[in-house]
Amino acid sequence: MQLATSLPSPRRASARSLAPAQAGEPCHRQPMEWTRAWAASLPALDACEGVGEALALLVQRQLDRLPLPGAGHTLQRWQALSHVAAHDLSLAKLFEGHTDALAILDELGTPIVMRRADEPALWGTWCAEPPAARLTLQGAHDARPDEPVRLRLTGRKAWCSGAHDLSHALVSGWTEDGRPVLAAVDLLQPGVRVTQEGWRAVGMQATRSVEVAFDDAEGWQVGAPGDYTARPGFWRGGAGIAACWWGGAWGLARDARHALRQAASAAPSGAGIDPRLVHLGVIDTALAACAALLRETAHEIDRLACAAGDAGATSGCGALHTLALRARLAAETCADTVVAQAVRALGAGPLCQDARVACLVADLPVFVRQSHGARDQATLGAQLARQLQEPAAWPL
């Protein structure tokens, strides 16, 4: 099957001339406009042959132009992420990484150099730091650059979602004296080799989150050393991933509800209440409670950003950390609950015969493991224990 419109694969793009460019796109679609464009794109998305092609379609149709986190419309950003996740979690993983990269580039405001191409750039955000996969960056400046600063990258990155499909990535690395630095990299260069190693998962298989090797590759410094994790957007973006997890749970919940409604309509009169409906009740309470928390969290993120005034100020980062942990942990619990209840409500038939349901049930537990689970629970508890006052989120 082919797309309705021609979309050249970014991995096959030829080398183009280099020119300075700002990759962040500050303008965004209005919520109703985005929703209409999303609905209109669903038939073409279903015709795509892979998540890379689907991401290219969304970018081509400017559905990646989301409100920046903390800019007053964070909830609308998260609603868009949840719609993509409810449709396809592997696509949501790549879409979230792409839109996160655009937000980072906008927040740090660093000029970079990137290839011009006929099709829009497809970005990834690869900042996992397992000890066995480390990237060394040479040539970094101590301060945030005003002009493009060229870096040389050597080493490996793990968990590189979409590596076979993307054209560019933001990657974390380390200077020779041990300082963390972020770099923007054109993946279509000889010094970058996408391997087949490091990804054997069944769930989220389509992301192909393999390892990528860098051999004296060229990159461009983004921000000053340490800026990536010190900026307010780090935890704004970290909270946003919860919208993807919730969106996956929402998609599975809709499938379960649809199946149970069909069963109820086919039941003979007077048959009584189907005992499987208890699972739908549990799903509803988990999904609705988490949705309410995510709405409140999005509004609080915008309020803190407004109170801070300067978008680059680091004031309020502690509060953002607490908000992000709470949202992520709630979404993790919600997702676990919905998966456990949905498979009991649906039974073996849809799990074995409905490709969408089977994919969601396999994908969601893997995606949610991006959470740090008990470690994040302990971190959240420690933050609350240090506060002098009762947490503001507790009273009604």
Side-chain angles (χ1 to χ4, degrees):
M1 294 181 290
Q2 297 297 323
L3 285 175
T5 53
S6 176
L7 291 174
S9 169
R11 293 297 307 175
R12 294 195 295 270
S14 59
R16 309 299 207 288
S17 59
L18 297 178
Q22 284 288 72
E25 177 53 72
C27 64
H28 63 270
R29 289 176 176 267
Q30 294 301 313
M32 288 302 296
E33 181 188 357
W34 190 96
T35 303
R36 286 194 297 268
W38 167 254
S41 298
L42 288 175
L45 282 175
D46 290 338
C48 291
E49 294 185 347
V51 290
E53 196 171 278
L55 177 64
L57 172 69
L58 296 183
V59 174
Q60 184 188 67
R61 297 191 177 188
Q62 299 184 348
L63 284 162
D64 62 331
R65 294 193 175 186
L66 304 183
L68 296 170
H73 300 281
T74 299
L75 178 59
Q76 285 74 30
R77 180 183 181 88
W78 291 4
Q79 287 170 337
L81 293 174
S82 71
H83 275 285
V84 179
H87 178 76
D88 186 321
L89 279 170
S90 289
L91 174 59
K93 174 67 174 173
L94 269 59
F95 184 72
E96 190 277 333
H98 170 84
T99 54
D100 190 33
L102 298 185
I104 294 167
L105 288 165
D106 182 90
E107 182 178 12
L108 294 181
T110 304
I112 62 172
V113 173
M114 54 184 283
R115 294 173 186 264
R116 293 182 178 181
D118 295 335
E119 64 275 358
L122 304 184
W123 286 87
T125 304
W126 302 338
C127 294
E129 290 290 342
R134 191 175 175 91
L135 200 58
T136 299
L137 280 60
Q138 295 179 320
H141 286 198
D142 292 335
R144 185 177 298 183
D146 294 324
E147 299 292 335
V149 173
R150 181 183 280 105
L151 304 176
R152 309 307 304 184
L153 287 70
T154 302
R156 290 174 82 91
K157 290 298 293 182
W159 313 112
C160 298
S161 296
H164 290 276
D165 300 302
L166 303 179
S167 61
H168 295 78
L170 292 182
V171 299
S172 61
W174 302 85
T175 64
E176 292 178 302
D177 58 356
R179 292 174 299 160
V181 181
L182 196 65
V185 182
D186 186 335
L187 301 175
L188 310 178
Q189 58 174 299
V192 177
R193 181 173 60 87
V194 178
T195 76
Q196 302 294 333
E197 302 165 13
W199 193 244
R200 297 291 182 268
V202 174
M204 302 296 287
Q205 185 179 58
T207 66
R208 295 195 288 177
S209 302
V210 296
E211 295 185 4
V212 176
F214 297 82
D215 184 8
D216 195 36
E218 179 182 76
W220 302 92
Q221 184 173 338
V222 177
D227 270 0
Y228 170 63
T229 55
R231 63 195 171 87
F234 180 76
W235 286 114
R236 293 171 187 159
I241 198 70
C244 294
W245 301 342
W246 181 89
W250 176 36
L252 184 57
R254 290 192 300 186
D255 290 336
R257 178 177 174 272
H258 177 71
L260 291 174
R261 285 189 72 234
Q262 285 188 319
S265 64
S269 178
I273 296 179
D274 187 337
R276 293 178 300 170
L277 291 174
V278 67
H279 302 299
L280 188 58
V282 177
I283 287 171
D284 173 74
T285 54
L287 203 64
C290 187
L293 176 63
L294 292 179
R295 286 191 289 268
E296 179 181 332
T297 302
H299 291 310
E300 185 65 9
I301 285 173
D302 288 337
R303 187 194 68 80
L304 287 172
C306 183
D310 178 7
T314 58
S315 61
C317 281
L320 285 170
H321 190 191
T322 299
L323 288 171
L325 288 177
R326 184 183 291 132
R328 289 165 63 100
L329 290 164
E332 177 187 1
T333 300
C334 173
D336 288 346
T337 299
V338 170
V339 169
Q341 298 298 321
V343 297
R344 288 168 174 78
L346 291 168
L351 290 174
C352 300
Q353 298 169 350
D354 187 320
R356 172 183 155 75
V357 170
C359 193
L360 274 171
V361 170
D363 286 350
L364 188 52
V366 175
F367 198 172
V368 169
R369 291 278 50 82
Q370 191 172 334
S371 167
H372 299 132
R375 188 176 74 183
D376 281 352
Q377 295 278 18
T379 300
L380 176 61
Q383 291 178 351
L384 299 177
R386 287 195 295 266
Q387 294 179 6
L388 297 178
Q389 298 178 334
E390 181 181 57
W394 286 11
L396 283 176

PDB file of all heavy atoms in Angstrom, residues 101-129:
ATOM      1  N   ALA A 101      12.121  17.357  20.340  1.00  0.00           N
ATOM      2  CA  ALA A 101      13.328  17.970  19.777  1.00  0.00           C
ATOM      3  C   ALA A 101      13.052  19.393  19.314  1.00  0.00           C
ATOM      4  O   ALA A 101      13.858  20.308  19.543  1.00  0.00           O
ATOM      5  CB  ALA A 101      13.856  17.115  18.615  1.00  0.00           C
ATOM      6  N   LEU A 102      11.915  19.613  18.648  1.00  0.00           N
ATOM      7  CA  LEU A 102      11.575  20.961  18.201  1.00  0.00           C
ATOM      8  C   LEU A 102      11.423  21.910  19.386  1.00  0.00           C
ATOM      9  O   LEU A 102      11.859  23.063  19.335  1.00  0.00           O
ATOM     10  CB  LEU A 102      10.284  20.933  17.376  1.00  0.00           C
ATOM     11  CG  LEU A 102      10.295  20.117  16.086  1.00  0.00           C
ATOM     12  CD1 LEU A 102       8.986  20.299  15.337  1.00  0.00           C
ATOM     13  CD2 LEU A 102      11.476  20.494  15.206  1.00  0.00           C
ATOM     14  N   ALA A 103      10.815  21.416  20.478  1.00  0.00           N
ATOM     15  CA  ALA A 103      10.636  22.257  21.661  1.00  0.00           C
ATOM     16  C   ALA A 103      11.979  22.573  22.323  1.00  0.00           C
ATOM     17  O   ALA A 103      12.205  23.700  22.792  1.00  0.00           O
ATOM     18  CB  ALA A 103       9.707  21.556  22.656  1.00  0.00           C
ATOM     19  N   ILE A 104      12.885  21.607  22.368  1.00  0.00           N
ATOM     20  CA  ILE A 104      14.210  21.826  22.954  1.00  0.00           C
ATOM     21  C   ILE A 104      14.980  22.861  22.156  1.00  0.00           C
ATOM     22  O   ILE A 104      15.588  23.786  22.716  1.00  0.00           O
ATOM     23  CB  ILE A 104      14.993  20.499  23.030  1.00  0.00           C
ATOM     24  CG1 ILE A 104      14.332  19.536  24.011  1.00  0.00           C
ATOM     25  CG2 ILE A 104      16.446  20.748  23.439  1.00  0.00           C
ATOM     26  CD1 ILE A 104      14.850  18.112  23.907  1.00  0.00           C
ATOM     27  N   LEU A 105      14.976  22.724  20.848  1.00  0.00           N
ATOM     28  CA  LEU A 105      15.690  23.675  20.001  1.00  0.00           C
ATOM     29  C   LEU A 105      15.123  25.079  20.158  1.00  0.00           C
ATOM     30  O   LEU A 105      15.860  26.067  20.162  1.00  0.00           O
ATOM     31  CB  LEU A 105      15.613  23.231  18.536  1.00  0.00           C
ATOM     32  CG  LEU A 105      16.452  22.003  18.184  1.00  0.00           C
ATOM     33  CD1 LEU A 105      16.033  21.434  16.835  1.00  0.00           C
ATOM     34  CD2 LEU A 105      17.937  22.345  18.185  1.00  0.00           C
ATOM     35  N   ASP A 106      13.816  25.182  20.313  1.00  0.00           N
ATOM     36  CA  ASP A 106      13.208  26.495  20.508  1.00  0.00           C
ATOM     37  C   ASP A 106      13.593  27.075  21.869  1.00  0.00           C
ATOM     38  O   ASP A 106      13.920  28.261  21.978  1.00  0.00           O
ATOM     39  CB  ASP A 106      11.692  26.372  20.397  1.00  0.00           C
ATOM     40  CG  ASP A 106      11.000  27.710  20.531  1.00  0.00           C
ATOM     41  OD1 ASP A 106      10.799  28.378  19.503  1.00  0.00           O
ATOM     42  OD2 ASP A 106      10.660  28.098  21.668  1.00  0.00           O
ATOM     43  N   GLU A 107      13.568  26.236  22.906  1.00  0.00           N
ATOM     44  CA  GLU A 107      13.856  26.729  24.256  1.00  0.00           C
ATOM     45  C   GLU A 107      15.305  27.165  24.411  1.00  0.00           C
ATOM     46  O   GLU A 107      15.592  28.210  25.005  1.00  0.00           O
ATOM     47  CB  GLU A 107      13.519  25.651  25.284  1.00  0.00           C
ATOM     48  CG  GLU A 107      13.739  26.103  26.726  1.00  0.00           C
ATOM     49  CD  GLU A 107      13.351  25.046  27.735  1.00  0.00           C
ATOM     50  OE1 GLU A 107      13.132  23.879  27.337  1.00  0.00           O
ATOM     51  OE2 GLU A 107      13.268  25.372  28.933  1.00  0.00           O
ATOM     52  N   LEU A 108      16.223  26.375  23.893  1.00  0.00           N
ATOM     53  CA  LEU A 108      17.633  26.702  24.061  1.00  0.00           C
ATOM     54  C   LEU A 108      18.107  27.737  23.054  1.00  0.00           C
ATOM     55  O   LEU A 108      19.148  28.371  23.252  1.00  0.00           O
ATOM     56  CB  LEU A 108      18.487  25.427  23.980  1.00  0.00           C
ATOM     57  CG  LEU A 108      18.252  24.437  25.126  1.00  0.00           C
ATOM     58  CD1 LEU A 108      19.145  23.222  24.972  1.00  0.00           C
ATOM     59  CD2 LEU A 108      18.504  25.100  26.488  1.00  0.00           C
ATOM     60  N   GLY A 109      17.368  27.888  21.964  1.00  0.00           N
ATOM     61  CA  GLY A 109      17.625  28.983  21.039  1.00  0.00           C
ATOM     62  C   GLY A 109      19.009  29.018  20.438  1.00  0.00           C
ATOM     63  O   GLY A 109      19.548  30.092  20.183  1.00  0.00           O
ATOM     64  N   THR A 110      19.596  27.867  20.232  1.00  0.00           N
ATOM     65  CA  THR A 110      20.956  27.819  19.702  1.00  0.00           C
ATOM     66  C   THR A 110      20.929  27.678  18.186  1.00  0.00           C
ATOM     67  O   THR A 110      20.252  26.798  17.661  1.00  0.00           O
ATOM     68  CB  THR A 110      21.722  26.626  20.308  1.00  0.00           C
ATOM     69  OG1 THR A 110      21.691  26.737  21.725  1.00  0.00           O
ATOM     70  CG2 THR A 110      23.167  26.621  19.838  1.00  0.00           C
ATOM     71  N   PRO A 111      21.664  28.506  17.463  1.00  0.00           N
ATOM     72  CA  PRO A 111      21.724  28.328  16.009  1.00  0.00           C
ATOM     73  C   PRO A 111      22.511  27.071  15.650  1.00  0.00           C
ATOM     74  O   PRO A 111      23.552  26.781  16.239  1.00  0.00           O
ATOM     75  CB  PRO A 111      22.455  29.587  15.524  1.00  0.00           C
ATOM     76  CG  PRO A 111      23.256  30.042  16.692  1.00  0.00           C
ATOM     77  CD  PRO A 111      22.465  29.658  17.922  1.00  0.00           C
ATOM     78  N   ILE A 112      21.975  26.317  14.717  1.00  0.00           N
ATOM     79  CA  ILE A 112      22.636  25.098  14.262  1.00  0.00           C
ATOM     80  C   ILE A 112      22.732  25.137  12.745  1.00  0.00           C
ATOM     81  O   ILE A 112      22.202  26.034  12.093  1.00  0.00           O
ATOM     82  CB  ILE A 112      21.881  23.829  14.707  1.00  0.00           C
ATOM     83  CG1 ILE A 112      20.477  23.814  14.095  1.00  0.00           C
ATOM     84  CG2 ILE A 112      21.812  23.740  16.222  1.00  0.00           C
ATOM     85  CD1 ILE A 112      19.721  22.526  14.318  1.00  0.00           C
ATOM     86  N   VAL A 113      23.406  24.161  12.185  1.00  0.00           N
ATOM     87  CA  VAL A 113      23.499  24.011  10.743  1.00  0.00           C
ATOM     88  C   VAL A 113      22.902  22.656  10.387  1.00  0.00           C
ATOM     89  O   VAL A 113      23.248  21.647  10.990  1.00  0.00           O
ATOM     90  CB  VAL A 113      24.961  24.098  10.262  1.00  0.00           C
ATOM     91  CG1 VAL A 113      25.049  23.769   8.781  1.00  0.00           C
ATOM     92  CG2 VAL A 113      25.532  25.478  10.550  1.00  0.00           C
ATOM     93  N   MET A 114      21.987  22.655   9.443  1.00  0.00           N
ATOM     94  CA  MET A 114      21.363  21.396   9.054  1.00  0.00           C
ATOM     95  C   MET A 114      21.160  21.376   7.550  1.00  0.00           C
ATOM     96  O   MET A 114      21.124  22.411   6.894  1.00  0.00           O
ATOM     97  CB  MET A 114      20.033  21.195   9.772  1.00  0.00           C
ATOM     98  CG  MET A 114      19.042  22.335   9.627  1.00  0.00           C
ATOM     99  SD  MET A 114      17.537  22.073  10.582  1.00  0.00           S
ATOM    100  CE  MET A 114      16.704  20.884   9.548  1.00  0.00           C
ATOM    101  N   ARG A 115      21.051  20.167   7.020  1.00  0.00           N
ATOM    102  CA  ARG A 115      20.889  20.003   5.586  1.00  0.00           C
ATOM    103  C   ARG A 115      19.527  20.515   5.140  1.00  0.00           C
ATOM    104  O   ARG A 115      18.536  20.343   5.829  1.00  0.00           O
ATOM    105  CB  ARG A 115      21.019  18.524   5.200  1.00  0.00           C
ATOM    106  CG  ARG A 115      22.385  17.951   5.424  1.00  0.00           C
ATOM    107  CD  ARG A 115      22.354  16.447   5.178  1.00  0.00           C
ATOM    108  NE  ARG A 115      23.634  15.861   5.518  1.00  0.00           N
ATOM    109  CZ  ARG A 115      24.593  15.612   4.643  1.00  0.00           C
ATOM    110  NH1 ARG A 115      24.409  15.919   3.383  1.00  0.00           N
ATOM    111  NH2 ARG A 115      25.720  15.066   5.021  1.00  0.00           N
ATOM    112  N   ARG A 116      19.514  21.128   3.991  1.00  0.00           N
ATOM    113  CA  ARG A 116      18.244  21.434   3.348  1.00  0.00           C
ATOM    114  C   ARG A 116      17.792  20.182   2.605  1.00  0.00           C
ATOM    115  O   ARG A 116      18.579  19.483   1.999  1.00  0.00           O
ATOM    116  CB  ARG A 116      18.400  22.595   2.375  1.00  0.00           C
ATOM    117  CG  ARG A 116      18.702  23.922   3.065  1.00  0.00           C
ATOM    118  CD  ARG A 116      18.803  25.038   2.050  1.00  0.00           C
ATOM    119  NE  ARG A 116      19.043  26.323   2.693  1.00  0.00           N
ATOM    120  CZ  ARG A 116      19.160  27.463   2.030  1.00  0.00           C
ATOM    121  NH1 ARG A 116      19.068  27.467   0.709  1.00  0.00           N
ATOM    122  NH2 ARG A 116      19.366  28.585   2.672  1.00  0.00           N
ATOM    123  N   ALA A 117      16.500  19.929   2.661  1.00  0.00           N
ATOM    124  CA  ALA A 117      15.974  18.745   1.986  1.00  0.00           C
ATOM    125  C   ALA A 117      14.613  19.085   1.394  1.00  0.00           C
ATOM    126  O   ALA A 117      13.949  20.021   1.803  1.00  0.00           O
ATOM    127  CB  ALA A 117      15.852  17.586   2.974  1.00  0.00           C
ATOM    128  N   ASP A 118      14.214  18.303   0.413  1.00  0.00           N
ATOM    129  CA  ASP A 118      12.910  18.516  -0.205  1.00  0.00           C
ATOM    130  C   ASP A 118      11.792  18.220   0.785  1.00  0.00           C
ATOM    131  O   ASP A 118      10.746  18.855   0.767  1.00  0.00           O
ATOM    132  CB  ASP A 118      12.751  17.620  -1.429  1.00  0.00           C
ATOM    133  CG  ASP A 118      13.747  17.982  -2.533  1.00  0.00           C
ATOM    134  OD1 ASP A 118      14.187  19.141  -2.550  1.00  0.00           O
ATOM    135  OD2 ASP A 118      14.064  17.106  -3.348  1.00  0.00           O
ATOM    136  N   GLU A 119      11.983  17.230   1.661  1.00  0.00           N
ATOM    137  CA  GLU A 119      10.987  16.885   2.657  1.00  0.00           C
ATOM    138  C   GLU A 119      11.413  17.454   4.016  1.00  0.00           C
ATOM    139  O   GLU A 119      12.595  17.683   4.257  1.00  0.00           O
ATOM    140  CB  GLU A 119      10.825  15.362   2.770  1.00  0.00           C
ATOM    141  CG  GLU A 119      12.051  14.628   3.250  1.00  0.00           C
ATOM    142  CD  GLU A 119      13.007  14.321   2.126  1.00  0.00           C
ATOM    143  OE1 GLU A 119      12.716  14.643   0.966  1.00  0.00           O
ATOM    144  OE2 GLU A 119      14.068  13.745   2.431  1.00  0.00           O
ATOM    145  N   PRO A 120      10.448  17.708   4.931  1.00  0.00           N
ATOM    146  CA  PRO A 120      10.803  18.250   6.246  1.00  0.00           C
ATOM    147  C   PRO A 120      11.700  17.292   7.026  1.00  0.00           C
ATOM    148  O   PRO A 120      11.679  16.077   6.809  1.00  0.00           O
ATOM    149  CB  PRO A 120       9.443  18.400   6.937  1.00  0.00           C
ATOM    150  CG  PRO A 120       8.436  18.401   5.842  1.00  0.00           C
ATOM    151  CD  PRO A 120       9.005  17.526   4.764  1.00  0.00           C
ATOM    152  N   ALA A 121      12.489  17.858   7.924  1.00  0.00           N
ATOM    153  CA  ALA A 121      13.349  17.040   8.774  1.00  0.00           C
ATOM    154  C   ALA A 121      12.511  16.232   9.756  1.00  0.00           C
ATOM    155  O   ALA A 121      11.506  16.714  10.283  1.00  0.00           O
ATOM    156  CB  ALA A 121      14.333  17.928   9.528  1.00  0.00           C
ATOM    157  N   LEU A 122      12.934  14.996   9.992  1.00  0.00           N
ATOM    158  CA  LEU A 122      12.322  14.136  11.007  1.00  0.00           C
ATOM    159  C   LEU A 122      13.331  13.968  12.131  1.00  0.00           C
ATOM    160  O   LEU A 122      14.402  13.402  11.932  1.00  0.00           O
ATOM    161  CB  LEU A 122      11.951  12.772  10.410  1.00  0.00           C
ATOM    162  CG  LEU A 122      11.026  12.770   9.190  1.00  0.00           C
ATOM    163  CD1 LEU A 122      10.682  11.337   8.797  1.00  0.00           C
ATOM    164  CD2 LEU A 122       9.761  13.575   9.450  1.00  0.00           C
ATOM    165  N   TRP A 123      12.979  14.479  13.311  1.00  0.00           N
ATOM    166  CA  TRP A 123      13.913  14.536  14.438  1.00  0.00           C
ATOM    167  C   TRP A 123      13.650  13.416  15.443  1.00  0.00           C
ATOM    168  O   TRP A 123      12.526  12.981  15.640  1.00  0.00           O
ATOM    169  CB  TRP A 123      13.773  15.869  15.164  1.00  0.00           C
ATOM    170  CG  TRP A 123      14.358  17.037  14.439  1.00  0.00           C
ATOM    171  CD1 TRP A 123      13.747  17.816  13.493  1.00  0.00           C
ATOM    172  CD2 TRP A 123      15.679  17.556  14.595  1.00  0.00           C
ATOM    173  NE1 TRP A 123      14.608  18.786  13.058  1.00  0.00           N
ATOM    174  CE2 TRP A 123      15.797  18.663  13.705  1.00  0.00           C
ATOM    175  CE3 TRP A 123      16.769  17.205  15.386  1.00  0.00           C
ATOM    176  CZ2 TRP A 123      16.972  19.408  13.611  1.00  0.00           C
ATOM    177  CZ3 TRP A 123      17.934  17.950  15.286  1.00  0.00           C
ATOM    178  CH2 TRP A 123      18.027  19.037  14.410  1.00  0.00           C
ATOM    179  N   GLY A 124      14.721  12.998  16.090  1.00  0.00           N
ATOM    180  CA  GLY A 124      14.634  12.138  17.255  1.00  0.00           C
ATOM    181  C   GLY A 124      15.302  12.826  18.429  1.00  0.00           C
ATOM    182  O   GLY A 124      16.106  13.751  18.249  1.00  0.00           O
ATOM    183  N   THR A 125      14.959  12.393  19.628  1.00  0.00           N
ATOM    184  CA  THR A 125      15.609  12.873  20.848  1.00  0.00           C
ATOM    185  C   THR A 125      16.193  11.663  21.552  1.00  0.00           C
ATOM    186  O   THR A 125      15.464  10.865  22.144  1.00  0.00           O
ATOM    187  CB  THR A 125      14.619  13.611  21.766  1.00  0.00           C
ATOM    188  OG1 THR A 125      14.002  14.681  21.038  1.00  0.00           O
ATOM    189  CG2 THR A 125      15.329  14.189  22.992  1.00  0.00           C
ATOM    190  N   TRP A 126      17.513  11.498  21.468  1.00  0.00           N
ATOM    191  CA  TRP A 126      18.198  10.309  21.980  1.00  0.00           C
ATOM    192  C   TRP A 126      19.110  10.719  23.126  1.00  0.00           C
ATOM    193  O   TRP A 126      20.257  11.092  22.930  1.00  0.00           O
ATOM    194  CB  TRP A 126      19.015   9.651  20.867  1.00  0.00           C
ATOM    195  CG  TRP A 126      18.213   9.237  19.672  1.00  0.00           C
ATOM    196  CD1 TRP A 126      16.870   8.998  19.614  1.00  0.00           C
ATOM    197  CD2 TRP A 126      18.711   8.963  18.354  1.00  0.00           C
ATOM    198  NE1 TRP A 126      16.494   8.612  18.351  1.00  0.00           N
ATOM    199  CE2 TRP A 126      17.612   8.582  17.555  1.00  0.00           C
ATOM    200  CE3 TRP A 126      19.988   9.007  17.787  1.00  0.00           C
ATOM    201  CZ2 TRP A 126      17.758   8.250  16.212  1.00  0.00           C
ATOM    202  CZ3 TRP A 126      20.123   8.676  16.445  1.00  0.00           C
ATOM    203  CH2 TRP A 126      19.027   8.298  15.669  1.00  0.00           C
ATOM    204  N   CYS A 127      18.579  10.657  24.332  1.00  0.00           N
ATOM    205  CA  CYS A 127      19.332  11.161  25.491  1.00  0.00           C
ATOM    206  C   CYS A 127      19.427  10.145  26.622  1.00  0.00           C
ATOM    207  O   CYS A 127      19.753  10.500  27.754  1.00  0.00           O
ATOM    208  CB  CYS A 127      18.711  12.464  25.996  1.00  0.00           C
ATOM    209  SG  CYS A 127      18.857  13.812  24.793  1.00  0.00           S
ATOM    210  N   ALA A 128      19.145   8.869  26.343  1.00  0.00           N
ATOM    211  CA  ALA A 128      19.379   7.832  27.352  1.00  0.00           C
ATOM    212  C   ALA A 128      20.888   7.684  27.566  1.00  0.00           C
ATOM    213  O   ALA A 128      21.676   7.836  26.633  1.00  0.00           O
ATOM    214  CB  ALA A 128      18.780   6.510  26.890  1.00  0.00           C
ATOM    215  N   GLU A 129      21.260   7.386  28.789  1.00  0.00           N
ATOM    216  CA  GLU A 129      22.686   7.302  29.131  1.00  0.00           C
ATOM    217  C   GLU A 129      23.027   6.004  29.859  1.00  0.00           C
ATOM    218  O   GLU A 129      23.485   6.017  31.003  1.00  0.00           O
ATOM    219  CB  GLU A 129      23.083   8.506  30.004  1.00  0.00           C
ATOM    220  CG  GLU A 129      23.101   9.837  29.272  1.00  0.00           C
ATOM    221  CD  GLU A 129      24.239   9.940  28.266  1.00  0.00           C
ATOM    222  OE1 GLU A 129      25.197   9.145  28.375  1.00  0.00           O
ATOM    223  OE2 GLU A 129      24.167  10.799  27.365  1.00  0.00           O
TER     224      GLU A 129
END
